[in-house]
Structures are given as structure tokens and as C-alpha cells.
Amino acid sequence: MKATIYHNPSCGTSRKTMEILQQEGADVTVVDYLNNPPSKDELKRLYDRAGISPQEGLRAKEQLAKDLDLVGGHVSDNAILDAMIENPILINRPLVETEKGVRLCRPQEIVREIL
């Protein structure tokens, strides 16, 4: 099975998700989203396929999310996506895509749903 992981190697959950993918024998494409962020359209497509909103995909615990007033209140999906593209650290990780779907793998065991 092919899988794409939007990965941050500094993140323990992202590393553990990668381990599960490797243990399950997935052919993994790794996207270092901090250095190679997806386009706005691609990010929207991933969230749509995962069945989550950009707000749910936001890394709300990042101070920058608070500084940009993206947390706690009504902020449009468009505004959140724009902020994520400009500041990829705001994209919660790891996002994994397979032919069976997309999941925000927090906790990492959620990846098993699409394997």
C-alpha cells in the first residue's frame, strides 16, 4: 500500500506514525511539510478527504495561532488555510493519505484506520 505522510521528524507522534507505516510495510512518501508545504488547494483537499475542517487541522497550541487570533472565535476556513500556508508550523501533524482516505493521526494509532 502506498502512503504519503506530512511529517515533522521533530514530533514524537509523527515519528511513531511513521514507525507504524513502516511496520505495516507501506510504501511511504515523506513530505517535509515545514520546508515543502502543500498548496492551499492541496491542504483543503486533504482536510475534505479527512472529513475535518481547517480549524480542526490547526495546530492550536502553537503560540503563533494565538498571536494571529486563529483560536477561540469565528475565523473563516479561508483565513486559517492562508495562515497555514504562510506559516506551515500551524499545520497539525502528522497527516497521512492512502487510497483508503486521509487521517490526522493524533494519536498515531488512527493511521491504522486507513491501512
Side-chain angles (χ1 to χ4, degrees), residues 4-83:
T4 300
I5 182 170
Y6 292 82
H7 182 59
N8 179 347
S10 298
C11 171
T13 302
S14 197
R15 287 192 310 269
K16 289 175 188 172
T17 302
M18 177 74 90
E19 287 174 18
I20 292 169
L21 290 167
Q22 291 169 336
Q23 288 168 358
E24 295 296 324
D27 177 11
V28 182
T29 298
V30 178
V31 177
D32 178 355
Y33 73 93
L34 291 173
N35 293 312
N36 187 23
S39 69
K40 183 177 178 178
D41 287 342
E42 179 68 1
L43 196 54
K44 182 178 180 340
R45 184 191 71 76
L46 289 166
Y47 290 149
D48 287 347
R49 195 153 181 245
I52 64 174
S53 69
Q55 185 73 47
E56 293 169 297
L58 176 68
R59 189 161 171 77
K61 65 165 124 181
E62 279 295 325
Q63 183 60 46
L64 182 58
K66 296 172 185 84
D67 293 346
L68 294 174
D69 292 323
L70 300 175
V71 181
H74 181 69
V75 181
S76 74
D77 287 351
N78 235 10
I80 292 170
L81 289 168
D82 286 341

